[in-house]
Amino acid sequence: MKTVFEPERIRSYISEYRLEAIFAKPDALPLQLRVYAGGELVLKEGDPLDGLYFQVSGRTKVSSSVGTGKSLLLRFCHPLSVFGDIELLQKVVVQSEVEAVRETAFLYVRLQAVETALMQDPPFLNALLRHLSYKLQTCTTASRINLLATVEERLASYLLTTRMQNEFGREIQTTHTQEIASLIGTTPRHLNRVIRKLADRNILGKGRNALVVLDWERLDALSNGLRYD
């Protein structure tokens, strides 16, 4: 993580996402611009909360650990997303792991400033309520996927959710299949069986070190419209 000292860039994000409607006095608020590289943890489950994070660029992955020690995928997040709101209101440690998928920037407000400058501000509290409602909706969707969908549907949903124009392309490294299996709640062996089945149907191709999506439309049909975002 690096802290970027660029007041103009901070002001541009405030304007882009209309944060002046959330922060009564944004110029007086000690905002930091924090930038995380792809693969870097933003929040670690079980750590004490240090502040609120407003995602203003990039893409993040949110997952939660289960009893076996594995992680289960909850959602992918885009701007504008807020992290730390649940922990702030419930006064608990960080509940989910947040990882930057690619370089991602956040406007960060330390916990003390949130408590003293924002918690009595109705527009700020209304904004938190909207974000919490959205999280409830996405967590409900993730629960439905993880509990009721088949492994084929979960894999298709994962691949379609993680597809990024001009960035993700069609190729997925096979070295990541163990991580994918954990995230979608299955075993690597079962996942490999599903991959072989989809390869036999010419939906996926399996090269030496990578998977290639051959037919996004049929993959979309297989997902039944479910997404992790």
Side-chain angles (χ1 to χ4, degrees), residues 184-221:
I184 66 174
T186 189
T187 64
R189 180 176 296 180
H190 193 175
L191 178 61
N192 283 328
R193 286 199 296 268
V194 169
I195 290 171
R196 286 196 296 270
K197 181 179 178 180
L198 296 182
D200 290 342
R201 294 164 60 185
N202 294 318
I203 296 174
L204 297 180
K206 190 170 183 181
R208 183 174 181 181
N209 294 308
L211 290 175
V212 177
V213 177
L214 302 176
D215 195 328
W216 285 107
E217 289 186 2
R218 291 171 65 196
L219 196 69
D220 188 17

Side-chain angles (χ1 to χ4, degrees), residues 67-175:
T68 59
K70 296 181 179 180
S71 294
L72 202 59
L73 180 63
L74 297 178
R75 64 189 175 278
F76 287 88
C77 295
H78 315 265
L80 178 72
S81 295
V82 181
F83 301 99
D85 46 358
I86 293 174
E87 293 81 357
L88 170 69
L89 296 174
Q90 293 296 319
K91 298 188 183 303
V92 294
V93 297
V94 174
Q95 298 296 292
S96 302
E97 183 171 282
V98 180
E99 177 186 334
V101 176
R102 58 180 189 267
E103 184 175 276
T104 303
F106 300 84
L107 293 182
Y108 167 82
V109 189
R110 68 178 186 274
L111 191 58
Q112 182 181 6
V114 173
E115 292 174 338
T116 57
L118 297 175
M119 289 305 290
Q120 302 302 318
D121 188 2
F124 173 75
L125 295 176
N126 284 336
L128 282 192
L129 178 61
R130 289 195 302 272
H131 284 282
L132 286 169
S133 299
Y134 177 72
K135 285 183 179 179
L136 176 60
Q137 176 188 348
T138 56
C139 285
T140 300
T141 300
S143 296
R144 185 168 71 249
I145 294 173
N146 290 325
L147 290 174
L148 302 178
T150 66
V151 174
E152 282 187 12
E153 290 171 326
R154 277 178 268 163
L155 176 60
S157 299
Y158 175 86
L159 295 177
L160 285 156
T161 305
T162 55
R163 184 184 186 185
M164 303 175 194
Q165 288 186 349
N166 303 320
E167 193 164 334
F168 179 79
R170 302 192 315 161
E171 190 172 289
I172 307 101
Q173 296 300 307
T174 53
T175 53

Side-chain angles (χ1 to χ4, degrees), residues 38-56:
E40 190 173 2
L41 284 184
V42 181
L43 290 170
K44 183 179 179 182
E45 192 171 353
D47 281 357
L49 180 70
D50 62 348
L52 284 184
Y53 295 74
F54 295 81
Q55 183 181 336
V56 291

